[in-house]
Amino acid sequence: MSNSVHSAVPSIAPSSRTMAGMHPSAKLLLFLLAGSLALIFQDPRYLAGVALLHLLLVSRIGWTRSLFRTFLILGGISSVFTAVSWLLFVRAGNAYWEGTIPWIGYAIQITETGILWSIGMGLRIATLVMLSVFYLFTTSPREMAMALKGIGLPFSIGFLISLIFRFIPLVKNDLATIREAQMVRGVRWDRGSLFTKLKAYAALIIPLIFTSLKRVQLIANALDSKGFQIRNRKHRYYRMPRWKGQEIAWIVISACLVGLCLYLARLSPNMYGILIPTRI
């Protein structure tokens, strides 16, 4: 596989060597089971423990600088936004402050439960982003497609998803090329009025759109020439890895632990980190 195709996601972390021999579907299922823990609990004290557990797991496997930087940006922004947006819209619990949104008269308030809920939702999003970023950074597009195929999804769906990730670095390279070409022509993005800056950015976006459309057409023609069809069940990988007994055991044990946590959380909500039983 060529470097341009293999680099569809950011460079695979050295930590992926730890999971290099694992079946792609087993890796995907383990990440999904780990992420489901963050969806079971609502109390930030429990979610902090789940986040710490996932952080230790990811740190054990290994971080890269780009992975950590991406997590700080995506996880930080999304978790803070989620916490702030939930803070005023939870009506359960004792109210510390009450008010209304001007013009529409919608009642808002800050409650004891709302504070815990907003912090918990922020931790939940941060945990899910951390696992998602780590999985994307340590898994090639081909492995993603094979993982989806291994859990029962049609080959065509997994293959199309892998094409999306392979398309990302190509668009990034096109953007860099267009930017350099426009800089040679004297286009600047840090000077002038707002209208001038928007016009300069249009000089980047418009060529990028037409270049991407042209590449999509080329890929579509290539797939047609090879007889690719969405509903063709004969499409397959010729070298699908085999499941190992150890991988199956890990998945069964993880699924049992997650099921036990879900059972306890729903059996005694107040005791096992459920703030509002009617919500996920």
Side-chain angles (χ1 to χ4, degrees):
M1 184 178 293
S2 63
N3 294 332
S4 61
V5 173
H6 187 70
S7 60
V9 293
S11 58
I12 297 178
S15 59
S16 61
R17 298 174 183 174
T18 308
M19 311 178 75
M22 181 178 294
H23 193 285
S25 299
K27 181 179 178 181
L28 175 62
L29 289 175
L30 288 175
F31 270 90
L32 291 176
L33 288 171
S36 63
L37 284 176
L39 301 177
I40 294 176
F41 304 105
Q42 300 172 353
D43 195 306
R45 292 164 290 189
Y46 287 83
L47 287 169
V50 173
L52 180 61
L53 176 64
H54 291 164
L55 182 61
L56 292 176
L57 175 63
V58 172
S59 300
R60 176 67 177 175
I61 300 175
W63 284 86
T64 63
R65 193 170 185 179
S66 59
L67 191 156
F68 186 70
R69 183 170 60 250
T70 304
F71 165 67
L72 287 180
I73 296 174
L74 296 180
I77 294 176
S78 58
S79 59
V80 170
F81 177 79
T82 301
V84 172
S85 12
W86 274 111
L87 181 61
L88 300 174
F89 300 99
V90 177
R91 301 181 181 275
N94 299 323
Y96 294 138
W97 175 86
E98 296 180 353
T100 56
I101 300 178
W103 298 295
I104 63 175
Y106 187 84
I108 56 176
Q109 59 184 357
I110 298 178
T111 65
E112 177 184 3
T113 304
I115 294 175
L116 294 176
W117 178 273
S118 62
I119 297 175
M121 293 304 101
L123 287 173
R124 174 184 287 182
I125 294 299
T127 302
L128 294 177
V129 170
M130 177 176 62
L131 292 176
S132 301
V133 169
F134 188 82
Y135 179 78
L136 292 177
F137 271 60
T138 58
T139 308
S140 67
R142 177 179 173 84
E143 290 175 339
M144 293 180 191
M146 295 172 68
L148 296 174
K149 173 65 175 177
I151 62 176
L153 288 180
F155 169 87
S156 55
I157 295 178
F159 182 74
L160 292 177
I161 292 176
S162 69
L163 279 181
I164 294 174
F165 287 100
R166 291 176 181 178
F167 198 72
I168 294 175
L170 300 178
V171 173
K172 183 179 179 180
N173 293 335
D174 290 340
L175 180 61
T177 302
I178 296 171
R179 181 183 180 87
E180 292 176 358
Q182 298 293 5
M183 290 178 64
V184 170
R185 294 182 175 93
V187 179
R188 299 295 299 269
W189 294 271
D190 55 349
R191 295 180 181 179
S193 61
L194 178 61
F195 179 78
T196 304
K197 292 180 180 179
L198 291 176
K199 186 177 180 180
Y201 278 106
L204 284 178
I205 297 175
I206 294 177
L208 182 62
I209 292 175
F210 283 99
T211 303
S212 301
L213 291 176
K214 182 179 179 180
R215 179 171 283 110
V216 169
Q217 185 62 45
L218 291 175
I219 294 175
N221 293 337
L223 293 176
D224 289 338
S225 64
K226 296 179 180 180
F228 181 83
Q229 298 177 2
I230 295 294
R231 298 183 180 180
N232 191 348
R233 297 183 178 181
K234 295 182 179 180
H235 294 316
R236 66 189 185 279
Y237 285 104
Y238 289 101
R239 294 183 180 180
M240 281 288 291
R242 295 182 178 180
W243 286 85
K244 301 176 183 177
Q246 184 179 6
E247 297 170 349
I248 298 176
W250 273 110
I251 292 175
V252 172
I253 293 173
S254 301
C256 291
L257 291 176
V258 171
L260 178 62
C261 291
L262 178 62
Y263 174 76
L264 294 176
R266 299 307 171 185
L267 181 65
S268 301
N270 297 330
M271 186 179 298
Y272 292 102
I274 302 299
L275 299 174
I276 307 177
T278 57
R279 295 186 181 181
I280 297 178

